[in-house]
Amino acid sequence: QILVAGSCVSSTGHSQVQVLEWDGDVGLKRLHLHIGMPWLNSASTNVSDQLLLLAGGESMCVLDFETGATVLAQGAWHRSLVNCPRFSNTHPALFASASLDERAALWDVRVGLQKPVWSQNLEWGAVLINWSPQDDRLLVCGCDNNIVQLSSVDGRVQNEVDLDPIEDSLNYTKAYYTPDSSYIASVSRLEDELRLSCAITGELVGAYQIRDRRPLDSLHCFTRTCRPDPFHPYRFTLLVDGWMAASDGDADVDSALAYSVELPLAAPLLA
């Protein structure tokens, strides 16, 4: 079992990427340590584990997985933050990117990174892009419940996920396919629910409360992300963080909470 972990020093932008291996006897062992790019925000490998894809600021670069040598770099095409570009699940040379510059693109490392294979203009800034398990679609999500599915072949819009905005530009939305590709699970930073939408039509199927049993009104929470369980089609882990407002001169209290939600057992807000 191989784990890729990136870290960035917020005060300087200096970063590094550790490649770790799980050993049942001793735990995690470090195999490689690479110097990351400035302001690193994501690190992932291709399907063959030969290439390492990094993103930071407006730039992306592809490294040799073992040596850390730069294979390709792109720092001029996207004009704003690129967050979490992703390699294809099945093709080692293809990866997709999306940015707050309101563009999504497909890249092929075999022909370099001077220009993408295709690009698609969006009407909103994108914060995440994900491949469907079969690699036929790309799921792009952004600010305030904007989610769209693109064809991975040519970038054409296939459908939009039907979610109502709350008219807040900081309501960043993250979305993922279920492992069987039937549904799209999404969460938004300022909202208190996990939504399940049909991947074919984009229609909302159900919404489930994810922060119940909170006794204190002073606990302010942000929903950061949700990740599907690869072994269970309708189980998700959600990361929520927040703080308790200070009182009587005390300092704010930060917290990070992880929830595991199994949709058939969750309390539905919308049938």
Side-chain angles (χ1 to χ4, degrees):
Q1 299 289 331
I2 301 296
L3 172 68
V4 177
S7 61
C8 178
V9 180
S10 60
S11 59
T12 64
H14 296 158
S15 65
Q16 63 181 22
V17 178
Q18 298 186 68
V19 181
L20 308 166
E21 181 181 34
W22 173 257
D23 186 314
D25 296 326
V26 299
L28 287 172
K29 299 189 301 182
R30 190 167 74 188
L31 299 180
H32 309 294
L33 176 64
H34 303 319
I35 301 300
M37 62 193 307
W39 306 110
L40 178 74
N41 65 43
S42 66
S44 58
T45 63
N46 67 347
V47 65
S48 62
D49 284 340
Q50 295 176 315
L51 299 175
L52 182 64
L53 176 61
L54 307 182
E58 302 170 5
S59 303
M60 303 177 291
C61 67
V62 178
L63 308 183
D64 181 279
F65 181 69
E66 290 194 3
T67 67
T70 299
V71 178
L72 294 166
Q74 169 55 260
W77 193 82
H78 279 299
R79 297 187 293 267
S80 189
L81 178 69
V82 183
N83 190 39
C84 298
R86 294 279 190 249
F87 270 112
S88 158
N89 296 312
T90 59
H91 199 298
L94 299 179
F95 73 88
S97 65
S99 167
L100 289 176
D101 68 4
E102 303 186 0
R103 294 188 293 175
L106 181 75
W107 306 85
D108 187 336
V109 300
R110 295 170 298 182
V111 297
L113 302 183
Q114 294 304 308
K115 64 177 182 178
V117 177
W118 56 252
S119 63
Q120 177 62 255
N121 291 325
L122 308 168
E123 296 180 354
W124 33 265
V127 298
L128 190 66
I129 190 166
N130 281 301
W131 294 79
S132 67
Q134 292 78 27
D135 280 347
D136 58 329
R137 289 164 288 163
L138 286 161
L139 187 63
V140 187
C141 46
C143 302
D144 205 14
N145 292 330
N146 282 301
I147 305 173
V148 66
Q149 291 190 88
L150 307 178
S151 166
S152 61
V153 175
D154 54 16
R156 285 178 302 151
V157 175
Q158 295 197 330
N159 62 41
E160 297 181 2
V161 175
D162 185 17
L163 297 174
D164 293 328
I166 66 169
E167 308 301 334
D168 192 318
S169 62
L170 296 180
N171 191 37
Y172 301 124
T173 301
K174 306 288 182 67
Y176 297 85
Y177 288 102
T178 56
D180 60 5
S181 294
S182 298
Y183 298 99
I184 294 167
S186 64
V187 295
S188 294
R189 181 174 182 259
L190 303 178
E191 298 183 69
D192 192 19
E193 56 190 40
L194 168 69
R195 289 79 56 102
L196 200 66
S197 303
C198 176
I200 298 175
T201 66
E203 293 183 59
L204 182 64
V205 175
Y208 302 85
Q209 187 175 358
I210 58 176
R211 293 188 220 137
D212 54 347
R213 304 188 184 91
R214 293 296 180 82
L216 299 175
D217 292 336
S218 59
L219 185 60
H220 304 275
C221 288
F222 293 136
T223 305
R224 292 297 184 188
T225 190
C226 70
R227 298 297 175 95
D229 185 331
F231 305 109
H232 190 294
Y234 304 113
R235 182 180 295 135
F236 302 85
T237 297
L238 300 103
L239 180 64
V240 178
D241 68 7
W243 72 93
M244 188 177 299
S247 61
D248 298 329
D250 294 332
D252 289 354
V253 177
D254 295 322
S255 64
L257 306 167
Y259 293 85
S260 179
V261 177
E262 189 166 328
L263 294 192
L265 302 180
L269 299 178
L270 176 66

